[in-house]
Protein backbone atom coordinates (compact mmCIF):
# COMPACT_ATOMS: atom_id res chain seq x y z
CA UNK A 1 0.00 0.00 0.00
CA UNK A 2 2.84 2.36 0.84
CA UNK A 3 4.39 1.72 -2.55
CA UNK A 4 1.09 2.52 -4.25
CA UNK A 5 0.73 5.82 -2.36
CA UNK A 6 4.34 6.76 -3.12
CA UNK A 7 3.79 5.97 -6.80
CA UNK A 8 0.64 8.15 -6.94
CA UNK A 9 2.46 11.10 -5.34
CA UNK A 10 5.39 10.67 -7.73
CA UNK A 11 3.05 10.63 -10.76
CA UNK A 12 1.30 13.79 -9.53
CA UNK A 13 4.64 15.53 -9.04
CA UNK A 14 5.87 14.58 -12.53
CA UNK A 15 2.59 15.61 -14.17
CA UNK A 16 2.51 19.00 -12.44
CA UNK A 17 6.08 19.96 -13.41
CA UNK A 18 6.19 18.54 -16.91
CA UNK A 19 3.39 20.49 -18.55
CA UNK A 20 4.48 24.16 -18.65
CA UNK A 21 2.65 24.88 -21.93
CA UNK A 22 -0.79 24.16 -20.53
CA UNK A 23 -0.15 26.17 -17.38
CA UNK A 24 1.07 29.25 -19.26
CA UNK A 25 4.65 28.89 -18.07
CA UNK A 26 7.79 29.76 -19.98
CA UNK A 27 8.72 26.20 -20.95
CA UNK A 28 7.10 25.55 -24.33
CA UNK A 29 6.24 29.17 -25.18
CA UNK A 30 9.62 30.73 -24.55
CA UNK A 31 8.16 33.30 -22.14
CA UNK A 32 8.16 36.16 -24.66
CA UNK A 33 5.95 37.48 -27.40
CA UNK A 34 6.87 39.28 -30.59
CA UNK A 35 6.94 43.08 -30.22
CA UNK A 36 3.75 44.73 -31.53
CA UNK A 37 3.11 48.24 -32.82
CA UNK A 38 2.10 50.69 -30.09
CA UNK A 39 2.49 54.03 -31.94
CA UNK A 40 3.44 55.49 -35.28
CA UNK A 41 3.90 58.89 -36.87
CA UNK A 42 4.60 60.41 -40.27
CA UNK A 43 6.39 63.66 -41.09
CA UNK A 44 6.34 65.41 -44.45
CA UNK A 45 9.07 67.70 -45.74
CA UNK A 46 7.22 69.63 -48.41
CA UNK A 47 9.15 70.60 -51.48
CA UNK A 48 8.34 73.30 -54.02
CA UNK A 49 4.62 72.49 -54.07
CA UNK A 50 2.79 72.06 -50.76
CA UNK A 51 -0.69 70.61 -50.24
CA UNK A 52 -3.78 72.83 -50.41
CA UNK A 53 -5.89 73.07 -47.26
CA UNK A 54 -9.00 71.59 -48.91
CA UNK A 55 -7.20 68.52 -50.29
CA UNK A 56 -7.62 65.54 -47.96
CA UNK A 57 -4.88 62.97 -47.29
CA UNK A 58 -5.24 59.40 -46.01
CA UNK A 59 -2.21 57.45 -44.78
CA UNK A 60 -2.62 53.69 -44.27
CA UNK A 61 -0.11 51.18 -42.89
CA UNK A 62 -0.94 47.79 -44.42
CA UNK A 63 0.27 44.33 -43.44
CA UNK A 64 1.31 41.96 -46.23
CA UNK A 65 -2.23 40.63 -46.60
CA UNK A 66 -3.50 44.24 -47.07
CA UNK A 67 -4.97 44.29 -43.55
CA UNK A 68 -5.14 47.85 -42.22
CA UNK A 69 -2.86 48.13 -39.18
CA UNK A 70 -2.74 51.91 -38.61
CA UNK A 71 -3.99 55.06 -40.30
CA UNK A 72 -4.29 58.83 -40.24
CA UNK A 73 -6.59 61.17 -42.13
CA UNK A 74 -5.97 64.87 -42.64
CA UNK A 75 -8.58 67.33 -43.84
CA UNK A 76 -8.46 71.12 -43.74
CA UNK A 77 -4.70 71.38 -43.23
CA UNK A 78 -2.48 73.37 -45.59
CA UNK A 79 1.10 72.24 -46.07
CA UNK A 80 3.29 75.20 -46.98
CA UNK A 81 5.86 75.03 -49.78
CA UNK A 82 9.40 74.10 -48.64
CA UNK A 83 8.34 73.54 -45.02
CA UNK A 84 7.94 70.55 -42.70
CA UNK A 85 4.53 69.23 -41.64
CA UNK A 86 4.14 66.88 -38.70
CA UNK A 87 4.76 64.62 -37.03
CA UNK A 88 1.24 63.30 -37.41
CA UNK A 89 0.16 60.35 -35.29
CA UNK A 90 -1.09 57.11 -36.79
CA UNK A 91 -4.04 55.48 -35.08
CA UNK A 92 -3.17 51.82 -34.45
CA UNK A 93 -6.14 49.58 -35.21
CA UNK A 94 -4.98 45.97 -35.44
CA UNK A 95 -2.00 43.84 -34.45
CA UNK A 96 1.19 44.64 -36.35
CA UNK A 97 4.45 42.94 -35.35
CA UNK A 98 7.96 44.31 -35.83
CA UNK A 99 8.59 41.39 -38.21
CA UNK A 100 5.68 42.57 -40.41
CA UNK A 101 7.67 45.59 -41.58
CA UNK A 102 9.65 43.54 -44.11
CA UNK A 103 6.56 42.90 -46.24
CA UNK A 104 4.29 45.79 -45.19
CA UNK A 105 3.28 48.76 -47.30
CA UNK A 106 2.33 52.37 -46.69
CA UNK A 107 -0.43 53.77 -48.87
CA UNK A 108 -0.81 57.53 -49.13
CA UNK A 109 -3.79 58.92 -50.97
CA UNK A 110 -4.69 62.54 -51.69
CA UNK A 111 -8.22 63.59 -52.57
CA UNK A 112 -7.46 66.83 -54.42
CA UNK A 113 -9.74 69.81 -54.16
CA UNK A 114 -9.46 71.33 -57.60
CA UNK A 115 -6.10 71.08 -59.30
CA UNK A 116 -3.60 70.31 -56.54
CA UNK A 117 -0.02 69.14 -56.90
CA UNK A 118 1.99 68.07 -53.85
CA UNK A 119 5.70 67.22 -53.79
CA UNK A 120 7.34 66.01 -50.58
CA UNK A 121 9.72 63.71 -48.75
CA UNK A 122 8.12 61.34 -46.26
CA UNK A 123 9.51 59.93 -43.01
CA UNK A 124 7.75 57.43 -40.75
CA UNK A 125 8.61 56.18 -37.26
CA UNK A 126 7.03 53.05 -35.77
CA UNK A 127 7.30 52.33 -32.02
CA UNK A 128 6.92 48.77 -30.73
CA UNK A 129 5.96 47.25 -27.37
CA UNK A 130 9.58 46.38 -26.54
CA UNK A 131 10.56 50.08 -26.85
CA UNK A 132 12.27 49.68 -30.22
CA UNK A 133 11.71 52.23 -32.99
CA UNK A 134 11.95 51.53 -36.70
CA UNK A 135 12.35 54.49 -39.07
CA UNK A 136 11.59 54.69 -42.78
CA UNK A 137 12.19 57.35 -45.42
CA UNK A 138 10.96 57.96 -48.97
CA UNK A 139 12.38 60.94 -50.89
CA UNK A 140 10.91 62.94 -53.78
CA UNK A 141 7.27 61.82 -53.82
CA UNK A 142 4.55 63.51 -55.85
CA UNK A 143 0.77 63.31 -55.74
CA UNK A 144 -1.59 65.20 -58.06
CA UNK A 145 -4.92 64.92 -59.87
CA UNK A 146 -3.55 62.42 -62.40
CA UNK A 147 -1.76 60.25 -59.79
CA UNK A 148 -3.39 60.85 -56.38
CA UNK A 149 -2.15 57.65 -54.69
CA UNK A 150 1.16 55.91 -53.98
CA UNK A 151 1.80 52.57 -52.30
CA UNK A 152 5.27 52.34 -50.80
CA UNK A 153 7.15 49.27 -49.59
CA UNK A 154 8.62 49.52 -46.09
CA UNK A 155 11.50 47.04 -46.32
CA UNK A 156 13.80 48.96 -48.71
CA UNK A 157 12.97 52.30 -47.04
CA UNK A 158 14.25 51.29 -43.59
CA UNK A 159 16.70 53.79 -42.12
CA UNK A 160 19.55 52.09 -40.22
Amino acid sequence: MRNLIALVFMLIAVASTGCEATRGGAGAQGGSTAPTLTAGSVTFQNRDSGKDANSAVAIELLRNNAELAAESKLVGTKFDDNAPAGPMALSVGSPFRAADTDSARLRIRMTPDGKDEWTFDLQMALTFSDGSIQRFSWPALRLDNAAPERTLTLGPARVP
Side-chain angles (χ1 to χ4, degrees):
M1 182 71 160
R2 282 186 204 170
N3 288 342
L4 181 60
I5 293 173
L7 181 61
V8 169
F9 280 118
M10 190 170 71
L11 288 173
I12 291 171
V14 169
S16 67
T17 60
C19 195
E20 289 289 322
T22 59
R23 291 192 345 203
Q29 296 176 357
S32 65
T33 59
T36 57
L37 184 65
T38 58
S41 66
V42 294
T43 303
F44 301 99
Q45 176 57 50
N46 299 296
R47 292 180 166 228
D48 59 345
S49 184
K51 184 188 78 60
D52 295 344
N54 292 331
S55 292
V57 173
I59 302 141
E60 300 171 330
L61 178 61
L62 306 169
R63 290 180 58 185
N64 186 37
N65 61 1
E67 176 185 356
L68 181 64
E71 68 181 327
S72 183
K73 294 183 179 166
L74 308 166
V75 180
T77 305
K78 182 178 183 336
F79 293 170
D80 292 327
D81 298 352
N82 301 304
M88 293 159 197
L90 296 174
S91 176
V92 178
S94 69
F96 185 89
R97 297 180 318 267
D100 291 333
T101 59
D102 291 333
S103 59
R105 295 177 309 277
L106 185 72
R107 181 169 47 210
I108 181 164
R109 181 180 353 181
M110 178 175 71
T111 305
D113 180 47
K115 190 172 183 181
D116 195 2
E117 175 184 304
W118 180 27
T119 56
F120 57 96
D121 300 330
L122 174 61
Q123 290 81 40
M124 181 173 66
L126 300 177
T127 304
F128 293 90
S129 58
D130 65 353
S132 66
I133 299 174
Q134 293 188 28
R135 298 182 191 284
F136 305 86
S137 181
W138 297 271
L141 300 173
R142 174 189 170 111
L143 298 177
D144 58 26
N145 292 29
E149 181 178 309
R150 295 283 306 263
T151 301
L152 310 164
T153 305
L154 270 62
R158 182 174 284 116
V159 176

